Amino acid sequence: MSRGQYPNTRMRRNRMQAFSRRLVAENRLSVDDLIWPLFVIEGEQKTEMIDAMPGVARHSIDRLLAQARQAVDLGIPAIAIFPSIDAALKDPVGSLADDGDNLVCRAVQAVKSRYPELGVICDVALDPFTDHGHDGVIHGDQVLNDETVEILCRQAVHQARAGCDIIAPSDMMDGRVAAIRNALDNAGFQNIQIMAYAAKYASSFYGPFRDAVKAGAALGKYGKSTYQMDPANSDEAIHEIALDLAEGADMVIIKPGLPYLDILARAKTEFGVPCVAYQVSGEYAMKCAAFANGWLDRDRTILETMMAFRRAGADAVLTYFAPDIAKLLHQQR
Ligand code: PBG
C-alpha cells in the first residue's frame, strides 16, 4: 500500500480535536471484558487484607457475596473465586480439592444462588490444597502428571456441581483439558465451559498471589518450572495453545499479562479464538507501589494497561483492577 508523504500527509491532523480522536480510535474499553478475581476464606464477617496487594482482601463467604453484588452492580460479567485454605486442612495430595463441600464449592453455591446471572470461574489445580504448594501431587521432587490429572477431573466435577460456569485448569499438567472435558461430559456437564490456562509461564510475578492463598513457601528449589513454561519460549506457547484447543478448550488464558503481550498477540492472530489475558498479582503490586508513591497516575495507568491488553488481542482480562476500571468507565459516560 502506498502512503502519502509529508507535507501532504500530516499524522497529527486526525489527533487535533477530541471528536476526531474518538472517530479514529481503533479499540475501546468495555466492562464487558472484565473478569474480577476474588479470594475467599472460612468464617463469618471476616476480611483479611493481603500485604502485597493493597485494596485486595480475602473475604469470608458472607462478605464475598457483597463483592459479587458489587460486580453485578458494576456490570462486570464474571468473577473468578480463589480459596485460601487453613494450613491444618492441607495435605500432600490436596485431599480437600476432591471434596464437593469444600470452601470454594460452598462459595460458588452461595454466589450462584444469590446472583445466578453472574459468571463464576474456578481454577482447577491443587496448589491451594497441598501442603507443599505445588499444583499437583508429588513423588520426591517430581510433580506427577497422570495421577494429578485424575484428581483434577474430580475437582472439576465438584466445582461444576456447585454451579461453577467456567472451569479454568491452571495446573499445566499434560492432557488435563481432554480429561476434564471428558469427566465433565460424563457427569452431564456438557455446557460447562473450559477456559484453559494454556500458556502459563513459571513467573516471579505470582508472588503476591501465592501469599494470598498461602501457598508457595515450600515449593522447593525448582519452583514450578517443571510444569509451567520457560519465559524464554514463544513457539512453545503456540504449541500449548494448539493442544488445549484440540483437547476442547473453549477459551485460552495467556499469563502473566503485560510482560507477555507478544504471546497474547501471537495467540490471537494465529488461532483467532477467545483469548484472555491475566494481569497477575505481581503486576498489580508493582503498579500499586508506584501509585502509593505518587509516581504514576492511578486512573490513567489502569485504563492504559487495559487498553494495551485489548490492542494486543485480549477478548477479556482477569484483573484485580476490574472494579476500578468498571467505575472509571461508568464515570466516562
Ligand atoms: C494457581 C494459580 C496461580 C495464579 C492463578 N492460579 C499461581 C501459581 O500458579 O503459582 C496466579 C495469579 C496471580 O498471580 O495473580 N495455579
Side-chain angles (χ1 to χ4, degrees):
M1 198 195 350
S2 77
R3 293 170 189 260
Q5 294 290 317
Y6 174 86
N8 287 343
T9 295
R10 290 179 183 267
M11 294 302 286
R12 294 184 54 200
R13 267 186 221 118
N14 286 343
R15 299 177 195 143
M16 283 295 163
Q17 297 200 60
F19 83 84
S20 176
R21 291 193 292 272
R22 284 167 61 203
L23 289 176
V24 301
E26 296 173 41
N27 291 284
R28 246 169 261 286
L29 299 183
S30 161
V31 292
D32 292 339
D33 303 325
L34 295 169
I35 301 170
W36 186 14
L38 292 166
F39 298 101
V40 63
I41 46 172
E42 291 288 0
E44 269 172 56
Q45 302 281 320
K46 274 175 73 178
T47 298
E48 296 173 359
M49 298 313 289
I50 299 162
D51 281 348
M53 300 179 74
V56 178
R58 309 177 191 95
H59 295 283
S60 52
I61 292 177
D62 52 332
R63 293 196 172 170
L64 180 75
L65 288 174
Q67 305 291 106
R69 167 81 200 268
Q70 209 190 328
V72 171
D73 289 347
L74 288 169
I76 295 172
I79 60 172
I81 300 178
F82 295 97
S84 176
I85 302 293
D86 294 336
L89 297 175
K90 299 186 187 193
D91 64 23
V93 292
S95 304
L96 200 60
D98 187 9
D99 178 342
D101 198 34
N102 68 17
L103 176 60
V104 72
C105 290
R106 278 180 281 120
V108 171
Q109 270 159 5
V111 170
K112 286 303 289 189
S113 60
R114 186 77 69 87
Y115 304 108
E117 258 131 66
L118 179 64
V120 171
I121 302 168
C122 286
D123 258 34
V124 162
L126 300 185
D127 56 319
F129 306 99
T130 52
D131 52 12
H132 42 73
H134 279 293
D135 291 23
V137 293
I138 57 175
H139 183 73
D141 63 1
Q142 294 273 329
V143 175
L144 303 177
N145 194 88
D146 300 9
E147 292 79 353
T148 298
V149 170
E150 274 180 39
I151 305 174
L152 298 177
C153 289
R154 297 201 292 273
Q155 181 185 23
V157 171
H158 290 308
Q159 292 174 169
R161 205 165 272 141
C164 176
D165 300 289
I166 303 184
I167 295 292
S170 73
D171 52 285
M172 291 299 279
M173 296 301 115
D174 287 315
R176 90 280 204 219
V177 172
I180 290 169
R181 182 71 273 161
N182 190 41
L184 289 172
D185 287 3
N186 287 337
F189 297 112
Q190 290 86 352
N191 294 326
I192 299 296
Q193 293 154 269
I194 295 181
M195 179 192 281
Y197 288 78
K200 178 170 177 179
Y201 287 85
S203 172
S204 52
F205 289 100
Y206 309 150
F209 175 97
R210 290 180 191 166
D211 188 31
V213 301
K214 301 185 197 114
L219 284 177
K221 74 173 171 189
Y222 301 113
K224 298 192 176 184
S225 54
T226 69
Y227 44 107
Q228 298 180 347
M229 285 184 50
D230 183 345
N233 299 346
S234 171
D235 288 343
E236 189 185 346
I238 299 308
H239 194 170
E240 282 280 7
I241 293 166
L243 287 171
D244 283 3
L245 290 171
E247 291 179 33
D250 301 289
M251 317 180 200
V252 293
I253 299 179
I254 287 80
K255 178 179 173 204
L258 221 51
Y260 294 79
L261 282 189
D262 58 325
I263 309 298
L264 173 63
R266 265 191 88 176
K268 189 63 186 174
T269 41
E270 293 188 29
F271 296 100
V273 299
C275 289
V276 180
Y278 198 143
Q279 181 172 46
V280 300
S281 56
E283 299 177 66
Y284 179 85
M286 287 197 303
K287 290 186 186 65
C288 288
F291 302 153
N293 279 293
W295 293 337
L296 289 174
D297 179 278
R298 183 182 175 95
D299 295 353
R300 291 179 55 208
T301 304
I302 291 172
L303 291 179
E304 181 180 335
T305 309
M306 183 68 190
M307 188 60 90
F309 286 120
R310 293 283 297 140
R311 191 192 61 238
D315 296 288
V317 180
L318 281 141
T319 173
Y320 302 96
F321 290 121
D324 306 79
I325 295 170
K327 283 177 204 156
L328 288 168
L329 294 178
H330 290 309
Q331 281 167 21
Q332 283 180 355
R333 297 265 216 82

